[in-house]
Amino acid sequence: MTYVYTFLFGGSLCLIGQLLIDKTNLTPARILTGFVVGGVILSALGVYGPIADVVGAGASVPLSGFGHLMAQGVRDAVDKDGALGILTGALSAAAGGISAAILFSLIAGLLIKPRSK
């Protein structure tokens, strides 16, 4: 049953994103940023964590899950380091994902030859 919940939640996020692309004048960058900020807000309200516990990867893989991860990192760092955690927590928690994105972008840039127009 977890697979069904995962598919439904992740699919609904994709549906929301597609509707925003099709029905609004928002740029993809603004939509993606909105998903991250939405994850942060839902995490701060205590809603995203219980959802992520039920649906698993359907909530942790999308960009809203990245926002949730950053919010959790800030919360944990503030508890541990005080106000300094506001600046360090998000990047510490998301360092693995950020590093992977940079590494894979570098590899793609080295392997793919751009087309000239």
Side-chain angles (χ1 to χ4, degrees):
M1 198 64 178
T2 302
Y3 292 121
V4 174
Y5 294 142
T6 300
F7 175 77
L8 291 175
F9 187 81
S12 66
L13 290 177
C14 292
L15 176 66
I16 292 167
Q18 190 64 48
L19 288 173
L20 289 172
I21 290 171
D22 292 343
K23 303 294 182 184
T24 68
N25 291 328
L26 293 172
T27 63
R30 289 184 180 183
I31 294 169
L32 296 175
T33 303
F35 275 116
V36 174
V37 171
V40 170
I41 292 170
L42 290 175
S43 181
L45 294 174
V47 175
Y48 206 86
I51 292 172
D53 291 340
V54 173
V55 301
S60 61
V61 172
L63 283 172
S64 54
F66 182 69
H68 170 65
L69 176 68
M70 290 179 19
Q72 289 296 323
V74 169
R75 183 178 298 145
D76 294 342
V78 166
D79 290 342
K80 181 181 172 195
D81 301 327
L84 182 62
I86 296 170
L87 300 173
T88 62
L91 291 178
S92 297
I98 294 169
S99 298
I102 292 170
L103 176 66
F104 293 134
S105 297
L106 174 67
I107 292 170
L110 293 173
L111 295 178
I112 297 172
K113 182 180 177 186
R115 288 186 258 171
S116 60
K117 293 185 176 185

